[in-house]
Amino acid sequence: MLEQLAALAKIAEIDAEALRSDNELKEIPERIAEFDNNVRRLGALLAAERVELEGAGRLLVTQEGEIQNQSQSLAKSKAKSARARTLRETDAVEKELEVIRRSMKEREEERVNLRAAIEKRRGSLAKHEKELAELERLAAEERQKADGRIAELRELRERVLTGRRELAATLPAEVLRQYERIRDRKGAGAAAMKNKSCGGCNTALTPNQAVSVFNGDVFQQCARCQRFLFSPESLKAFADAKALED
């Protein structure tokens, strides 16, 4: 029985190490996906900024056209003022000139503000373009590192699992099924007894159960988490004795 418990403990150790590899293999694509999402978000932001900048540029052209038209209207009104013959005509032209000047002043202020906004947006766009280039570089580096790490983890996992099948063959089929069912649900199907408690969930064992786990005479399970229990001290003593026999 101790030999079977030693096999079960070794399988649990193998599975724990394989699980660490599995978890990292799962985390790597998630990390790469996060990089890719950040690249896409920043790219979308840049695209929106470019559209906004193009719109502002078109608006600036429109404003400059309006100012030019108003300048021409001002010149015509001035010429009309020079030709005025009566006071009434002069007053009407002056009112017309005042309206044009006020409108031109407003358009000039709008143009100044728009040019300032365009320059600010260009600065923001240039900054974000640098950030995107850096993020794309980091994402490419991360993908390259990830490819290498994935290959390492797969090789490690394969190496770790070497011998597991032979160990599993020494266990009763029902024990192995229960162990794997518990492992799949809780991450570990077996746990070491520590201070007469389950090392998986810290539940205290009854005195009789603790003695049974220490003796290794039957497969004992934690009453709370159902993990199979083993005594590291007993298994070490068993391994040492077996080594002396060999």
Side-chain angles (χ1 to χ4, degrees):
M1 178 59 71
L2 278 172
E3 190 166 352
Q4 288 182 323
L5 282 170
L8 183 63
K10 183 60 180 176
I11 287 173
E13 180 185 335
I14 289 171
D15 288 350
E17 193 168 348
L19 181 61
R20 285 191 289 272
S21 295
D22 290 340
N23 288 339
E24 191 173 349
L25 283 167
K26 181 182 177 183
E27 290 167 2
I28 289 173
E30 292 173 353
R31 190 167 65 248
I32 296 301
E34 186 177 353
F35 264 102
D36 291 340
N37 287 336
N38 289 337
V39 168
R40 280 193 294 271
R41 281 196 293 267
L42 189 52
L45 175 62
L46 276 169
E49 285 185 329
R50 290 190 185 104
V51 170
E52 187 177 342
L53 190 58
E54 289 171 1
R58 288 192 296 270
L59 180 58
L60 182 61
V61 170
T62 300
Q63 286 184 347
E64 288 176 341
E66 290 176 355
I67 291 171
Q68 186 176 3
N69 291 337
Q70 287 173 338
S71 296
Q72 292 172 356
S73 297
L74 184 63
K76 290 178 182 178
S77 294
K78 286 180 178 179
K80 190 189 296 184
S81 177
R83 294 193 302 270
R85 293 290 181 266
T86 65
L87 182 60
R88 185 176 179 180
E89 288 179 350
T90 302
D91 288 343
V93 173
E94 284 300 323
K95 287 179 181 179
E96 186 178 313
L97 286 169
E98 180 60 27
V99 170
I100 293 172
R101 289 190 185 101
R102 186 164 55 249
S103 179
M104 286 184 68
K105 183 180 179 182
E106 290 173 355
R107 292 292 176 272
E108 284 287 355
E109 289 175 353
E110 289 174 0
R111 182 170 66 173
V112 169
N113 292 336
L114 184 56
R115 281 177 173 170
I118 287 173
E119 287 305 311
K120 184 177 180 180
R121 180 59 67 190
R122 281 174 178 161
S124 174
L125 183 62
K127 178 185 175 184
H128 289 151
E129 283 174 340
K130 288 181 181 178
E131 289 175 350
L132 178 59
E134 178 63 13
L135 189 58
E136 287 175 334
R137 184 186 67 79
L138 290 174
E141 287 182 0
E142 193 67 21
R143 276 192 291 272
Q144 187 175 6
K145 290 178 185 176
D147 290 342
R149 183 56 180 161
I150 287 172
E152 289 177 4
L153 288 168
R154 285 174 176 166
E155 183 181 346
L156 174 63
R157 190 180 188 281
E158 187 175 342
R159 190 165 62 247
V160 164
L161 290 174
T162 300
R164 186 189 186 281
R165 183 177 298 176
E166 290 75 14
L167 289 169
T170 67
L171 298 177
E174 180 57 29
V175 169
L176 183 62
R177 277 194 296 272
Q178 276 188 276
Y179 162 83
E180 291 182 341
R181 189 162 56 245
I182 297 163
R183 179 204 61 194
D184 292 343
R185 193 170 69 250
K186 297 182 177 295
M193 180 176 68
K194 297 179 181 179
N195 299 320
K196 298 181 181 180
S197 296
C198 170
C201 67
N202 296 320
T203 297
L205 308 180
T206 64
N208 288 341
Q209 191 176 21
V211 170
S212 179
V213 172
F214 185 80
N215 290 337
D217 47 12
V218 293
F219 288 105
Q220 288 284 352
Q221 290 177 261
C222 172
R224 182 180 180 186
C225 71
Q226 299 302 307
R227 291 181 176 95
F228 286 93
L229 300 169
F230 60 89
S231 166
E233 295 82 5
S234 298
L235 294 185
K236 184 179 184 307
F238 173 74
D240 291 343
K242 191 174 180 182
L244 288 175
E245 291 176 2
D246 295 342

